[in-house]
PDB file of all heavy atoms in Angstrom:
ATOM      1  N   ASP A  20     -15.188  -1.326   1.919  1.00  0.00           N
ATOM      2  CA  ASP A  20     -16.261  -2.313   1.749  1.00  0.00           C
ATOM      3  C   ASP A  20     -16.514  -2.627   0.285  1.00  0.00           C
ATOM      4  O   ASP A  20     -17.654  -2.707  -0.171  1.00  0.00           O
ATOM      5  CB  ASP A  20     -17.557  -1.836   2.419  1.00  0.00           C
ATOM      6  CG  ASP A  20     -17.467  -1.869   3.936  1.00  0.00           C
ATOM      7  OD1 ASP A  20     -16.751  -2.740   4.476  1.00  0.00           O
ATOM      8  OD2 ASP A  20     -18.119  -1.025   4.573  1.00  0.00           O
ATOM      9  N   ARG A  71      -0.470  -1.789   5.312  1.00  0.00           N
ATOM     10  CA  ARG A  71      -1.737  -1.060   5.201  1.00  0.00           C
ATOM     11  C   ARG A  71      -1.428   0.351   4.713  1.00  0.00           C
ATOM     12  O   ARG A  71      -0.328   0.850   4.882  1.00  0.00           O
ATOM     13  CB  ARG A  71      -2.425  -0.941   6.561  1.00  0.00           C
ATOM     14  CG  ARG A  71      -2.850  -2.246   7.174  1.00  0.00           C
ATOM     15  CD  ARG A  71      -3.498  -1.982   8.542  1.00  0.00           C
ATOM     16  NE  ARG A  71      -3.609  -3.182   9.319  1.00  0.00           N
ATOM     17  CZ  ARG A  71      -4.579  -4.071   9.216  1.00  0.00           C
ATOM     18  NH1 ARG A  71      -5.534  -3.886   8.341  1.00  0.00           N
ATOM     19  NH2 ARG A  71      -4.605  -5.134   9.976  1.00  0.00           N
ATOM     20  N   TYR A  83      -7.182   3.370   8.384  1.00  0.00           N
ATOM     21  CA  TYR A  83      -6.317   2.468   7.630  1.00  0.00           C
ATOM     22  C   TYR A  83      -7.116   1.732   6.560  1.00  0.00           C
ATOM     23  O   TYR A  83      -8.305   1.472   6.733  1.00  0.00           O
ATOM     24  CB  TYR A  83      -5.675   1.440   8.568  1.00  0.00           C
ATOM     25  CG  TYR A  83      -4.688   2.061   9.520  1.00  0.00           C
ATOM     26  CD1 TYR A  83      -5.105   2.555  10.753  1.00  0.00           C
ATOM     27  CD2 TYR A  83      -3.349   2.169   9.177  1.00  0.00           C
ATOM     28  CE1 TYR A  83      -4.204   3.141  11.627  1.00  0.00           C
ATOM     29  CE2 TYR A  83      -2.442   2.752  10.049  1.00  0.00           C
ATOM     30  CZ  TYR A  83      -2.870   3.225  11.270  1.00  0.00           C
ATOM     31  OH  TYR A  83      -1.974   3.803  12.124  1.00  0.00           O
ATOM     32  N   VAL A  84      -6.433   1.399   5.468  1.00  0.00           N
ATOM     33  CA  VAL A  84      -6.999   0.588   4.404  1.00  0.00           C
ATOM     34  C   VAL A  84      -6.029  -0.557   4.153  1.00  0.00           C
ATOM     35  O   VAL A  84      -4.860  -0.284   3.848  1.00  0.00           O
ATOM     36  CB  VAL A  84      -7.205   1.395   3.118  1.00  0.00           C
ATOM     37  CG1 VAL A  84      -7.674   0.502   1.983  1.00  0.00           C
ATOM     38  CG2 VAL A  84      -8.167   2.544   3.339  1.00  0.00           C
ATOM     39  N   PRO A  85      -6.397  -1.826   4.289  1.00  0.00           N
ATOM     40  CA  PRO A  85      -7.690  -2.234   4.817  1.00  0.00           C
ATOM     41  C   PRO A  85      -7.765  -1.937   6.312  1.00  0.00           C
ATOM     42  O   PRO A  85      -6.755  -1.907   7.005  1.00  0.00           O
ATOM     43  CB  PRO A  85      -7.735  -3.735   4.545  1.00  0.00           C
ATOM     44  CG  PRO A  85      -6.309  -4.155   4.484  1.00  0.00           C
ATOM     45  CD  PRO A  85      -5.548  -2.974   3.956  1.00  0.00           C
ATOM     46  N   ASN A  86      -8.986  -1.722   6.800  1.00  0.00           N
ATOM     47  CA  ASN A  86      -9.163  -1.346   8.198  1.00  0.00           C
ATOM     48  C   ASN A  86      -9.401  -2.540   9.114  1.00  0.00           C
ATOM     49  O   ASN A  86      -9.443  -2.390  10.318  1.00  0.00           O
ATOM     50  CB  ASN A  86     -10.270  -0.308   8.360  1.00  0.00           C
ATOM     51  CG  ASN A  86     -11.603  -0.801   7.862  1.00  0.00           C
ATOM     52  OD1 ASN A  86     -11.712  -1.904   7.361  1.00  0.00           O
ATOM     53  ND2 ASN A  86     -12.607   0.023   7.981  1.00  0.00           N
ATOM     54  N   LEU A  87      -9.583  -3.702   8.569  1.00  0.00           N
ATOM     55  CA  LEU A  87      -9.753  -4.925   9.365  1.00  0.00           C
ATOM     56  C   LEU A  87      -8.701  -5.942   8.940  1.00  0.00           C
ATOM     57  O   LEU A  87      -8.129  -5.850   7.864  1.00  0.00           O
ATOM     58  CB  LEU A  87     -11.146  -5.516   9.150  1.00  0.00           C
ATOM     59  CG  LEU A  87     -12.323  -4.628   9.525  1.00  0.00           C
ATOM     60  CD1 LEU A  87     -13.626  -5.273   9.071  1.00  0.00           C
ATOM     61  CD2 LEU A  87     -12.349  -4.369  11.021  1.00  0.00           C
ATOM     62  N   ASP A  88      -8.449  -6.922   9.803  1.00  0.00           N
ATOM     63  CA  ASP A  88      -7.535  -7.996   9.404  1.00  0.00           C
ATOM     64  C   ASP A  88      -8.212  -8.833   8.344  1.00  0.00           C
ATOM     65  O   ASP A  88      -9.430  -8.976   8.359  1.00  0.00           O
ATOM     66  CB  ASP A  88      -7.164  -8.855  10.610  1.00  0.00           C
ATOM     67  CG  ASP A  88      -6.075  -8.201  11.452  1.00  0.00           C
ATOM     68  OD1 ASP A  88      -5.226  -7.508  10.844  1.00  0.00           O
ATOM     69  OD2 ASP A  88      -6.076  -8.376  12.665  1.00  0.00           O
ATOM     70  N   PRO A  89      -7.506  -9.389   7.412  1.00  0.00           N
ATOM     71  CA  PRO A  89      -6.058  -9.366   7.340  1.00  0.00           C
ATOM     72  C   PRO A  89      -5.553  -8.123   6.625  1.00  0.00           C
ATOM     73  O   PRO A  89      -6.273  -7.513   5.826  1.00  0.00           O
ATOM     74  CB  PRO A  89      -5.728 -10.610   6.520  1.00  0.00           C
ATOM     75  CG  PRO A  89      -6.896 -10.753   5.594  1.00  0.00           C
ATOM     76  CD  PRO A  89      -8.090 -10.264   6.388  1.00  0.00           C
ATOM     77  N   ALA A  90      -4.316  -7.745   6.936  1.00  0.00           N
ATOM     78  CA  ALA A  90      -3.653  -6.657   6.218  1.00  0.00           C
ATOM     79  C   ALA A  90      -3.345  -7.152   4.805  1.00  0.00           C
ATOM     80  O   ALA A  90      -3.442  -8.348   4.512  1.00  0.00           O
ATOM     81  CB  ALA A  90      -2.363  -6.270   6.941  1.00  0.00           C
ATOM     82  N   ASN A  91      -2.964  -6.229   3.922  1.00  0.00           N
ATOM     83  CA  ASN A  91      -2.496  -6.632   2.607  1.00  0.00           C
ATOM     84  C   ASN A  91      -1.207  -7.413   2.763  1.00  0.00           C
ATOM     85  O   ASN A  91      -0.394  -7.115   3.652  1.00  0.00           O
ATOM     86  CB  ASN A  91      -2.230  -5.411   1.727  1.00  0.00           C
ATOM     87  CG  ASN A  91      -3.485  -4.734   1.258  1.00  0.00           C
ATOM     88  OD1 ASN A  91      -4.463  -5.386   0.892  1.00  0.00           O
ATOM     89  ND2 ASN A  91      -3.499  -3.416   1.275  1.00  0.00           N
TER      90      ASN A  91
END
Side-chain angles (χ1 to χ4, degrees):
D20 289 329
R71 296 179 195 277
Y83 292 89
V84 175
N86 60 358
L87 300 172
D88 280 327
N91 287 319

